[in-house]
Structure formats: structure tokens, C-alpha cells
DNA sequence: TAAGCTTGACTGACCGGTCGGTACTATATA
DNA sequence: TATATAGTACCGACCGGTCAGTCAAGCTTA
């Protein structure tokens, strides 16, 4: 807290004018980063033209690139994950994370759903499962990149998405 | 440390007969869990018969199920991630994680590589990218399950794998 | 000058690590 | 066999450092 106050150029006591506790401040940072990532990553999909496949590729690029740009903050994400497992802060963080993941999955789900309705994607697919896996993949590729400088999350995700899109479009080939 | 000693039914000082510091103990737990997960998840793939696709499905089931069985320890994983971002312990944990991910990716990569050589999978694919995404997906689906009791990682991963396998096998359809 | 804002020295709970000491076993010696 | 010595495992009271949170004193502003 002393270090934060010093960095902010205020006295330690002043922090407590704005936050009731260190945990409150920590949670506020979590929400701030959460919104920052969400708004940076989620390009206005509906505004974007093109096929569902094209938009999925665009979303992939946007998510991976924007998180890569703030890779220096990635350690924070891990701190937040840990917070969601700490007995004291668990509830708050767990709830927030659950909601954040649900929201993000919902966006991707609707994009895939639309692809099915348009006839681009096979109807045999469960949009929610694909969305969850994609969201997870973004998370995890960035995590692997954090551990390994040699790892290329953008290339990897693009390669992967190409294959996935072939699978999604399978029905078309039967026509 | 006092609590750990109490739980172990030994005195606090005794811990230091076996570990030099709290961090050393923590790292030992990390290595223990690391091996536990690796050996539990990695079914003897080579011993397993069947096509590459079948073995990929088997691996998927094995990984997801075995981690689900030790879900109560999942919070530990998050603590370890956080440790890899903490300034003091960073190096050790980061290195270990990097290696663990590389090892696991290598297993999956070779499985996919084999599928390509056998002609099951399209040669247009980059095995490493697919492997990284799969490994990431397992990680991230379990993470989402940790946050959300309603989330079904096994079902999700199976659904997803089906679509992915269609994409991977695409070349075959051209024959 | 009064009200409100800001501050950083201070407090007390907490915790990792230490150390003097006990107890028990194994080996060597007489 | 009895005794001495050495090695090993164990213990928990204690120490010193750390840090979130407090509050009386100083400062600013109207």
C-alpha cells in the first residue's frame, strides 16, 4: 500500500479515502483490467461485415493481438486467478470470473449460431461447446506465451482456426 | 507453516529438516502435483491401438477426466501460476511450467504427426499449432469449470474434438 | 477561522525461520 | 553386558521483519 501510494504521488492514508481495504482496491483493479481487455478484444463484431468465418478470424486476431499488446499486465491475470482460489477473496473473484467467461462465451456463441443460421456452418455443431473451446484456447495460448518467449500465439491460433473452420463448414461439402 | 506442521502432525521445526524454506516446500508440492497430473492424464498412447483420431479422443477423455477427479486441487494450479508471476519465485516456476507445457505439447504433436504420416490427417496442417491449441483447450476448459459449476468440460471437449477431427481429416474427403 | 482534506509515523497482528534442547537408535568401547 | 559416543528426528517458544490499517497533526480552501 505504501508503494502504491508513493507511485500515485499521494499519502498512504489517502488511499483509504477511496478504497475501504487493500482487497477492495485489488478487486477494483481486477474490474478495471477486465473491462479494458473486454473492450479492447471485442471488436464490434456486428458492425464488421463478411461471413461468419471471416468475422471469427477477425475476432481471433483482435483478441490475441490486443492481449499481446498488454502482455506486461498478464501477471495480474494470474494474480486474479490465484485470488479466486484464496479462501478470503474467493467468492467475489470467482463470481466475477464466471460472469466474464459467460459473457465472452455468449458473444462467440452467437457468432457461431449466426453462422449456422446462414448455412455457413454445419448444424450438427453445438455452438456453445465451440465457443467455450475457442475462448479457452485464447486464454491458454496467451498463458503459454507468458511462459515461453519462443511461443507464437497469433500464428498458432490462426493455424488452428483454419482447421477448425474446415470442420465447421463440413456440411457444405456434402452439398 | 505452523498450520502445515499441525496438519502433518509434526512440529514446525521439523519441516525445516526436510525443506530449506517455505518456497522450497511450495516448489516441491508443485513438482509433486505436476508429475501426478502428467502421469494420470497421459495414458500410454503408444500402447493404445486404433487410429490417430481414436487415440486423440482417448487422450482427451483421459486428460479431462483425470483432472476433473482432482478438481479439489485445482486451486493449487492457480497458486502456481501466480507464483510464476511473483517477482521472487518467478524464474523457477516459469521454467518448470515452460518445460511442462513443451513436454505435453510434444506428446500431442507426435500423435498428430503420426496421423498425418498415416494419411489420416491432412498434411496441410501444422501439428504443433494443433497440439498447442488442444493442450490449451484442456487447461482452459478446466479453468472455466473451476469458475462455473454448470460448465461441462468433458462434454464441451468431446463436442469440440469431433468438429476438429472433421477439419483435420479434410483431405480424405477430396479423395 | 472553521471545515474538510491529506499525511506518514505508529500500532499490532501475523508469520517465516531459528535454536536450544529432548528422545531415541546405532555403533564403538571396556 | 554396561557405558560412552555419535547420529538423527523432532519439538515449539521465541525472534525479527513486514505490512494493512489508523489517527492526530498539519495543511488548504472558502
Amino acid at each position: 500500500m505504501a508503494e502504491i501510494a508513493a507511485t500515485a504521488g499521494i499519502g498512504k492514508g489517502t488511499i483509504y479515502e477511496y478504497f475501504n481495504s487493500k482487497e477492495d482496491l485489488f478487486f477494483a483493479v481486477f474490474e478495471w483490467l477486465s473491462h479494458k481487455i473486454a473492450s479492447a478484444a471485442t471488436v464490434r463484431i456486428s458492425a464488421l461485415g463478411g461471413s461468419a468465418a471471416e468475422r471469427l478470424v477477425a475476432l481471433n486476431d483482435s483478441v490475441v493481438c490486443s492481449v499481446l499488446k498488454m502482455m506486461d499486465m498478464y501477471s495480474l491475470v494470474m494474480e486474479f486467478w490465484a485470488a479466486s482460489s484464496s479462501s478470503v477473496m474467493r467468492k467475489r473473484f470467482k463470481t466475477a470470473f464466471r460472469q466474464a467467461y459467460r459473457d465472452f462465451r455468449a458473444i462467440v456463441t452467437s457468432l457461431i449460431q449466426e453462422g449456422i443460421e446462414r448455412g455457413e456452418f454445419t448444424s450438427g455443431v453445438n455452438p456453445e461447446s465451440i465457443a467455450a473451446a475457442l475462448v479457452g484456447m485464447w486464454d491458454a495460448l496467451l498463458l503459454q506465451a507468458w511462459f515461453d518467449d519462443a511461443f507464437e500465439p497469433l500464428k498458432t491460433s490462426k493455424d488452428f482456426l483454419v482447421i477448425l473452420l474446415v470442420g465447421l463448414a463440413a456440411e457444405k461439402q456434402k452439398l
Side-chain angles (χ1 to χ4, degrees), chain A residues 86-104:
Chain A
S86 113
S87 55
V88 248
M89 302 187 269
R90 182 155 28 227
K91 213 179 168 189
R92 213 178 204 190
F93 279 87
K94 224 173 159 175
T95 306
F97 263 117
R98 181 168 56 235
Q99 197 54 52
Y101 275 112
R102 280 188 183 164
D103 291 349
F104 201 19

Side-chain angles (χ1 to χ4, degrees), chain A residues 54-66:
Chain A
E54 281 167 348
R55 287 195 281 159
L56 214 47
V57 170
L59 181 62
N60 179 67
D61 286 15
S62 169
V63 170
V64 176
C65 286
S66 57

Side-chain angles (χ1 to χ4, degrees), chain A residues 41-43 45 52 55-57 59-60 63 100-116 121 125-138 161 164-165 168:
Chain A
T42 317
V43 287
I45 311 173
R55 287 195 281 159
L56 214 47
V57 170
L59 181 62
N60 179 67
V63 170
Y101 275 112
R102 280 188 183 164
D103 291 349
F104 201 19
R105 287 201 300 260
I107 291 172
V108 183
T109 300
S110 70
L111 209 163
I112 292 165
Q113 185 65 51
E114 213 183 293
I116 296 173
F121 297 156
V125 81
N126 179 348
E128 288 178 3
S129 293
I130 306 296
L134 277 175
V135 168
M137 185 195 70
W138 289 320
L161 200 53
L164 181 66
L165 286 172
L168 281 172

Side-chain angles (χ1 to χ4, degrees), chain A residues 74-91:
Chain A
Y74 203 76
S75 60
L76 264 180
V77 176
M78 288 187 278
E79 294 284 354
F80 294 139
W81 282 339
S84 81
S85 79
S86 113
S87 55
V88 248
M89 302 187 269
R90 182 155 28 227
K91 213 179 168 189

